[in-house]
Amino acid sequence: DQQVKQNSPSLSVQEGRISILNCDYTNSMFDYFLWYKKYPAEGPTFLISISSIKDKNEDGRFTVFLNKSAKHLSLHIVPSQPGDSAVYFCAASENSQGGSEKLVFGKGTKLTVNP
Amino acid sequence: ETGVTQTPRHLVMGMTNKKSLKCEQHLGHNAMYWYKQSAKKPLELMFVYSLEERVENNSVPSRFSPECPNSSHLFLHLHTLQPEDSALYLCASSPTGDFYGYTFGSGTRLTVV
C-alpha cells in the first residue's frame, strides 16, 4: 500500500498562471516532507521541503503547504514558467534512526507549462 | 553534474548475463542508497548503506546484490534478471541526518531482454 500518493499523473497550465501539485500521505509518523523535480535523463533534484512543525514554507516562486490533520501537502508554483515543465515527486520521511535518511516517494506528477 | 555519478547511463542485458551498476560520490556523504523507478510506480528504495554497512534491504530479490566497499562507492551486481526488472536505477547519497544534502545521480536505464 502506498504511503505517499500523488493522484494526478499529469498537470498542464499556462505560463504565468499558478501550478498546484498535490500529495497525500497515510503514515502519521512522517515528520518531514520534500519535493523533488526531475527532468528527463536526469536524477531528481531537491526543490523545497517542510517539517511537520510548520504549515507553510516559501522559496521564491515555490511554496509548500502542509495540512497535518488532512495528511495533505501541496506545492504551489507562481508564476509558472516553461522551464518548470518536469516530473515532480513528493517524498516523506520519519525521524530516522541510524544515520540514514530513508525517503518514501510518490509516483510523481508530470507538469507541463505551456508558453 | 550533481556530485553523484552513475555508470553506465544505459545498459541492455540478457536474462543470463551478469552485470554491475556503479555509483560514485565525492561529496563526503556517509549514506548511500539504491532506488528503482519503474514506469507508473513510485521510486522504490532497494538498499541503504550507512557508514558502509547495509542498514536496510527492502525485500529485494537476491538477483540484485549490493556492495559498498567504501563510503564513496556503491555497486549493484545483477544476475539472471527478468524483463520486469527493466527500470531506471537511481543511486543517491546523503550526509547523515541531513535531508537537504540528499543527492541523486542521473540513473542507469536498464533494459532486460
Side-chain angles (χ1 to χ4, degrees):
Chain A
D1 187 33
Q2 287 185 61
Q3 297 186 69
V4 176
K5 300 178 184 178
Q6 292 178 259
N7 293 319
S8 298
S10 63
L11 174 67
S12 183
V13 299
Q14 285 299 119
E15 181 178 6
R17 305 294 291 270
I18 185 170
S19 297
I20 301 176
L21 296 98
N22 293 302
C23 179
D24 298 291
Y25 62 95
T26 58
N27 186 344
S28 57
M29 298 301 292
F30 287 148
D31 60 0
Y32 205 85
F33 304 89
L34 307 91
W35 284 94
Y36 282 81
K37 177 179 178 179
K38 184 181 182 302
Y39 292 117
E42 296 182 13
T45 55
F46 170 76
L47 186 60
I48 193 169
S49 65
I50 189 167
S51 118
S52 60
I53 62 173
K54 294 186 174 182
D55 55 17
K56 177 182 175 181
N57 189 26
E58 190 173 353
D59 183 3
R61 296 184 297 113
F62 303 91
T63 303
V64 57
F65 295 92
L66 175 63
N67 182 333
K68 284 185 65 179
S69 61
K71 295 192 178 68
H72 176 84
L73 63 154
S74 60
L75 174 67
H76 293 212
I77 307 173
V78 56
S80 301
Q81 300 173 355
D84 296 329
S85 298
V87 177
Y88 289 79
F89 291 98
C90 174
S93 181
E94 298 178 41
N95 189 19
S96 69
Q97 302 294 324
S100 59
E101 315 307 331
K102 291 168 285 186
L103 297 179
V104 180
F105 285 84
K107 291 184 180 181
T109 296
K110 183 177 181 181
L111 174 66
T112 303
V113 180
N114 301 302
Chain B
E1 184 59 62
T2 64
V4 178
T5 303
Q6 289 187 244
T7 54
R9 293 295 302 271
H10 300 274
L11 177 62
V12 179
M13 60 186 288
M15 289 189 284
T16 58
N17 291 159
K18 289 185 180 181
K19 296 286 183 184
S20 295
L21 310 184
K22 180 181 177 182
C23 177
E24 186 173 354
Q25 60 92 8
H26 295 288
L27 300 170
H29 292 171
N30 294 322
M32 297 187 78
Y33 313 80
W34 279 116
Y35 281 87
K36 176 183 178 182
Q37 186 186 11
S38 304
K40 299 182 181 179
K41 286 189 175 181
L43 279 164
E44 300 169 53
L45 179 64
M46 299 176 73
F47 299 104
V48 180
Y49 278 82
S50 179
L51 299 172
E52 302 160 39
E53 288 192 19
R54 189 191 305 182
V55 297
E56 181 146 342
N57 171 357
N58 278 0
S59 302
V60 179
S62 59
R63 57 186 184 270
F64 295 91
S65 175
E67 179 189 0
C68 187
N70 55 61
S71 60
S72 298
H73 294 86
L74 184 65
F75 295 90
L76 188 62
H77 304 298
L78 316 171
H79 62 99
T80 58
L81 294 193
Q82 305 297 312
E84 59 264 29
D85 296 322
S86 299
L88 179 68
Y89 289 84
L90 288 160
C91 173
S93 68
S94 72
T96 51
D98 182 0
F99 288 108
Y100 288 99
Y102 207 102
T103 305
F104 282 90
S106 298
T108 295
R109 174 67 64 184
L110 174 67
T111 303
V112 181
V113 297

